[in-house]
Short mmCIF file of all heavy atoms in Angstrom, two decimals:
data_model
loop_
_atom_site.label_atom_id
_atom_site.label_comp_id
_atom_site.label_asym_id
_atom_site.label_seq_id
_atom_site.Cartn_x
_atom_site.Cartn_y
_atom_site.Cartn_z
N PRO A 222 49.15 33.10 -3.75
CA PRO A 222 48.19 32.83 -2.67
C PRO A 222 47.23 34.01 -2.44
O PRO A 222 46.04 33.80 -2.18
CB PRO A 222 49.09 32.60 -1.46
CG PRO A 222 50.37 32.11 -2.04
CD PRO A 222 50.54 32.85 -3.32
N MET A 270 51.97 41.21 4.39
CA MET A 270 53.13 41.21 3.50
C MET A 270 53.53 42.63 3.12
O MET A 270 54.44 42.84 2.33
CB MET A 270 52.81 40.44 2.21
CG MET A 270 52.54 38.97 2.44
SD MET A 270 51.67 38.26 1.03
CE MET A 270 52.97 38.21 -0.18
N GLY A 324 59.09 28.18 9.56
CA GLY A 324 58.77 28.86 8.30
C GLY A 324 58.56 27.84 7.19
O GLY A 324 58.45 26.62 7.44
N TYR A 325 58.57 28.35 5.97
CA TYR A 325 58.27 27.53 4.80
C TYR A 325 59.16 26.27 4.72
O TYR A 325 58.69 25.19 4.36
CB TYR A 325 58.43 28.39 3.55
CG TYR A 325 58.19 27.66 2.26
CD1 TYR A 325 56.94 27.16 1.95
CD2 TYR A 325 59.24 27.47 1.36
CE1 TYR A 325 56.73 26.47 0.77
CE2 TYR A 325 59.02 26.79 0.17
CZ TYR A 325 57.77 26.29 -0.12
OH TYR A 325 57.56 25.61 -1.28
N GLY A 326 60.44 26.44 5.08
CA GLY A 326 61.39 25.31 5.01
C GLY A 326 60.97 24.16 5.91
O GLY A 326 61.18 22.99 5.58
N ALA A 330 60.29 20.44 4.41
CA ALA A 330 61.02 19.29 4.93
C ALA A 330 60.11 18.35 5.72
O ALA A 330 60.54 17.27 6.13
CB ALA A 330 62.15 19.78 5.83
N VAL A 357 52.15 35.26 7.88
CA VAL A 357 52.35 34.72 6.53
C VAL A 357 53.59 33.80 6.44
O VAL A 357 54.16 33.63 5.38
CB VAL A 357 52.39 35.81 5.42
CG1 VAL A 357 51.05 36.46 5.26
CG2 VAL A 357 53.49 36.83 5.66
N ALA A 358 53.96 33.18 7.55
CA ALA A 358 55.02 32.17 7.47
C ALA A 358 54.47 31.00 6.66
O ALA A 358 53.30 30.63 6.81
CB ALA A 358 55.40 31.69 8.86
N GLY A 359 55.32 30.45 5.79
CA GLY A 359 54.83 29.37 4.90
C GLY A 359 54.22 29.95 3.65
O GLY A 359 54.61 31.03 3.21
N ARG A 360 53.27 29.24 3.08
CA ARG A 360 52.72 29.70 1.80
C ARG A 360 51.21 29.88 1.83
O ARG A 360 50.58 30.05 0.80
CB ARG A 360 53.08 28.72 0.68
CG ARG A 360 54.51 28.79 0.24
CD ARG A 360 54.91 30.13 -0.40
NE ARG A 360 56.31 30.12 -0.79
CZ ARG A 360 57.32 30.45 0.01
NH1 ARG A 360 57.08 30.86 1.24
NH2 ARG A 360 58.56 30.40 -0.41
N MET A 361 50.59 29.77 2.98
CA MET A 361 49.17 30.05 3.06
C MET A 361 48.84 30.46 4.49
O MET A 361 49.59 30.12 5.42
CB MET A 361 48.34 28.84 2.65
CG MET A 361 48.62 27.64 3.49
SD MET A 361 47.65 26.25 2.96
CE MET A 361 48.13 25.08 4.18
N PRO A 362 47.78 31.20 4.68
CA PRO A 362 47.46 31.62 6.03
C PRO A 362 47.21 30.41 6.92
O PRO A 362 46.57 29.45 6.51
CB PRO A 362 46.16 32.44 5.86
CG PRO A 362 46.09 32.76 4.41
CD PRO A 362 46.81 31.68 3.68
N GLY A 399 63.82 26.95 8.87
CA GLY A 399 63.29 27.15 7.52
C GLY A 399 62.45 28.40 7.36
O GLY A 399 61.65 28.50 6.44
N ALA A 400 62.64 29.37 8.27
CA ALA A 400 61.97 30.68 8.08
C ALA A 400 63.02 31.67 7.61
O ALA A 400 64.17 31.61 8.04
CB ALA A 400 61.34 31.15 9.37
N ASN A 401 62.64 32.56 6.72
CA ASN A 401 63.62 33.51 6.21
C ASN A 401 63.03 34.93 6.20
O ASN A 401 63.28 35.71 7.11
CB ASN A 401 64.06 33.04 4.81
CG ASN A 401 65.22 33.83 4.28
OD1 ASN A 401 65.50 34.92 4.75
ND2 ASN A 401 65.91 33.30 3.30
N ASP A 402 62.19 35.23 5.21
CA ASP A 402 61.67 36.61 5.07
C ASP A 402 61.00 37.12 6.35
O ASP A 402 61.12 38.29 6.69
CB ASP A 402 60.62 36.69 3.95
CG ASP A 402 61.22 36.38 2.60
OD1 ASP A 402 62.45 36.47 2.46
OD2 ASP A 402 60.44 36.03 1.69
N VAL A 403 60.27 36.22 7.04
CA VAL A 403 59.49 36.68 8.19
C VAL A 403 60.38 37.06 9.39
O VAL A 403 59.87 37.51 10.40
CB VAL A 403 58.43 35.64 8.62
CG1 VAL A 403 57.42 35.39 7.53
CG2 VAL A 403 59.06 34.35 9.09
N LYS A 434 68.81 26.09 7.82
CA LYS A 434 68.40 26.10 6.41
C LYS A 434 69.52 25.43 5.62
O LYS A 434 70.58 25.17 6.15
CB LYS A 434 68.05 27.51 5.91
CG LYS A 434 69.22 28.48 5.76
CD LYS A 434 68.74 29.92 5.70
CE LYS A 434 68.00 30.26 4.42
NZ LYS A 434 68.88 30.36 3.25
N ARG A 435 69.27 25.16 4.33
CA ARG A 435 70.24 24.33 3.60
C ARG A 435 71.41 25.12 3.04
O ARG A 435 72.48 24.57 2.77
CB ARG A 435 69.52 23.60 2.46
CG ARG A 435 68.47 22.62 2.96
CD ARG A 435 67.54 22.24 1.86
NE ARG A 435 67.00 23.43 1.23
CZ ARG A 435 66.23 23.44 0.17
NH1 ARG A 435 65.93 22.30 -0.41
NH2 ARG A 435 65.78 24.56 -0.33
N SER A 436 71.19 26.42 2.78
CA SER A 436 72.22 27.21 2.09
C SER A 436 72.03 28.68 2.43
O SER A 436 71.21 29.02 3.28
CB SER A 436 72.04 27.04 0.58
OG SER A 436 70.78 27.61 0.23
N GLY A 440 64.77 33.50 0.46
CA GLY A 440 63.43 32.90 0.53
C GLY A 440 62.54 33.47 -0.56
O GLY A 440 63.02 33.90 -1.61
N PHE A 441 61.27 33.48 -0.27
CA PHE A 441 60.21 33.87 -1.19
C PHE A 441 60.45 35.23 -1.86
O PHE A 441 60.27 35.38 -3.06
CB PHE A 441 58.93 33.86 -0.37
CG PHE A 441 57.74 34.54 -0.93
CD1 PHE A 441 56.83 33.84 -1.68
CD2 PHE A 441 57.51 35.88 -0.66
CE1 PHE A 441 55.71 34.47 -2.18
CE2 PHE A 441 56.39 36.50 -1.15
CZ PHE A 441 55.50 35.80 -1.91
N ASP A 460 69.11 20.06 5.81
CA ASP A 460 67.66 19.89 5.70
C ASP A 460 67.03 20.00 7.10
O ASP A 460 67.59 19.45 8.07
CB ASP A 460 67.37 18.52 5.08
CG ASP A 460 65.90 18.18 5.13
OD1 ASP A 460 65.15 18.76 4.33
OD2 ASP A 460 65.50 17.36 5.98
N ALA A 461 65.91 20.70 7.20
CA ALA A 461 65.33 20.98 8.51
C ALA A 461 65.07 19.71 9.32
O ALA A 461 65.40 19.63 10.50
CB ALA A 461 64.05 21.78 8.34
P1 NAP B 514 60.73 31.98 3.04
O1 NAP B 514 61.13 33.40 3.21
O2 NAP B 514 60.13 31.57 1.76
O3 NAP B 514 62.04 31.11 3.34
C1 NAP B 514 62.00 29.74 3.45
C2 NAP B 514 63.41 29.24 3.65
O4 NAP B 514 63.32 27.86 3.89
C3 NAP B 514 64.29 29.41 2.45
O5 NAP B 514 65.20 30.49 2.62
C4 NAP B 514 65.00 28.05 2.28
O6 NAP B 514 66.40 28.24 2.36
C5 NAP B 514 64.52 27.27 3.48
N1 NAP B 514 64.24 25.87 3.13
C6 NAP B 514 63.62 25.37 2.05
N2 NAP B 514 63.58 24.03 2.09
C7 NAP B 514 64.20 23.67 3.24
C8 NAP B 514 64.50 22.43 3.85
N3 NAP B 514 64.14 21.25 3.29
N4 NAP B 514 65.16 22.42 5.03
C9 NAP B 514 65.55 23.59 5.60
N5 NAP B 514 65.29 24.81 5.07
C10 NAP B 514 64.62 24.83 3.91
O7 NAP B 514 59.73 31.48 4.20
P2 NAP B 514 59.04 32.24 5.40
O8 NAP B 514 60.05 32.92 6.26
O9 NAP B 514 58.12 31.24 5.99
O10 NAP B 514 58.24 33.39 4.71
C11 NAP B 514 57.10 33.15 3.92
C12 NAP B 514 57.13 34.03 2.71
O11 NAP B 514 56.05 33.65 1.88
C13 NAP B 514 56.97 35.50 3.03
O12 NAP B 514 57.77 36.27 2.19
C14 NAP B 514 55.51 35.73 2.76
O13 NAP B 514 55.21 37.07 2.42
C15 NAP B 514 55.27 34.78 1.60
N6 NAP B 514 53.85 34.42 1.42
C16 NAP B 514 53.19 33.80 2.42
C17 NAP B 514 51.85 33.55 2.28
C18 NAP B 514 51.05 32.93 3.40
O14 NAP B 514 49.83 33.01 3.37
N7 NAP B 514 51.70 32.29 4.35
C19 NAP B 514 51.19 33.89 1.10
C20 NAP B 514 51.92 34.49 0.08
C21 NAP B 514 53.25 34.73 0.26
P3 NAP B 514 67.39 27.14 1.70
O15 NAP B 514 67.00 27.02 0.27
O16 NAP B 514 68.75 27.71 1.92
O17 NAP B 514 67.20 25.88 2.46
#
Side-chain angles (χ1 to χ4, degrees):
M270 295 162 73
Y325 178 65
V357 293
R360 286 296 179 273
M361 58 181 183
N401 189 342
D402 296 340
V403 298
K434 71 198 290 288
R435 296 163 308 175
S436 65
F441 165 92
D460 171 75

